[in-house]
Amino acid sequence: MSDTTFSIRIPDDLRREVDALAKANKRSRSFLVKEALQAYVDEQKAYRDAIKEAIREADETGEFISWGATQHWLKSWGTDNELPPPEPDIFLKKQK
């Protein structure tokens, strides 16, 4: 695979941070930016794939967790009475 030049504009303070990090790690600015961009692209792809898988699974089973149940659970986070994750409470397909 061949490399291509790709130019972007970034704030001066970010460039200085990248330069300092490159120097500290004995790497080029280009190497660090390429690695960061690849990590971002990989993370976004994994996120989108997880969403697609969750939608596929929900469509297949017809089971969903309502927003109300999710909200109730989220409101318990960080309290002394933190709740376990909610179970599906919406069923669009007949149970077998």
Side-chain angles (χ1 to χ4, degrees):
M1 181 182 335
S2 64
D3 289 346
T4 301
T5 300
F6 183 76
S7 298
I8 61 168
R9 292 189 182 278
I10 61 171
D12 287 336
D13 58 337
L14 179 57
R15 184 192 48 79
R16 283 190 294 273
E17 288 184 60
V18 171
D19 287 344
L21 190 57
K23 184 177 181 181
N25 287 299
K26 296 183 176 136
R27 294 287 189 170
S28 68
R29 177 192 311 161
S30 178
F31 176 86
L32 290 184
V33 172
K34 182 171 60 171
E35 290 291 306
L37 185 57
Q38 185 64 60
Y40 177 79
V41 168
D42 292 346
E43 178 183 302
Q44 289 298 305
K45 182 179 182 306
Y47 178 72
R48 294 176 71 86
D49 288 348
I51 290 173
K52 286 178 187 177
E53 175 60 21
I55 290 170
R56 185 201 59 73
E57 185 179 318
D59 286 344
E60 187 177 287
T61 65
E63 297 179 4
F64 300 86
I65 299 170
S66 67
W67 174 237
T70 303
Q71 255 185 326
H72 184 67
W73 173 55
L74 291 174
K75 286 180 182 178
S76 77
W77 284 13
T79 68
D80 292 337
N81 196 17
E82 194 166 306
L83 300 172
E87 295 290 326
D89 58 350
I90 299 173
F91 303 94
L92 300 181
K93 293 185 178 182
K94 291 183 179 180
Q95 302 265 328
K96 293 182 182 180

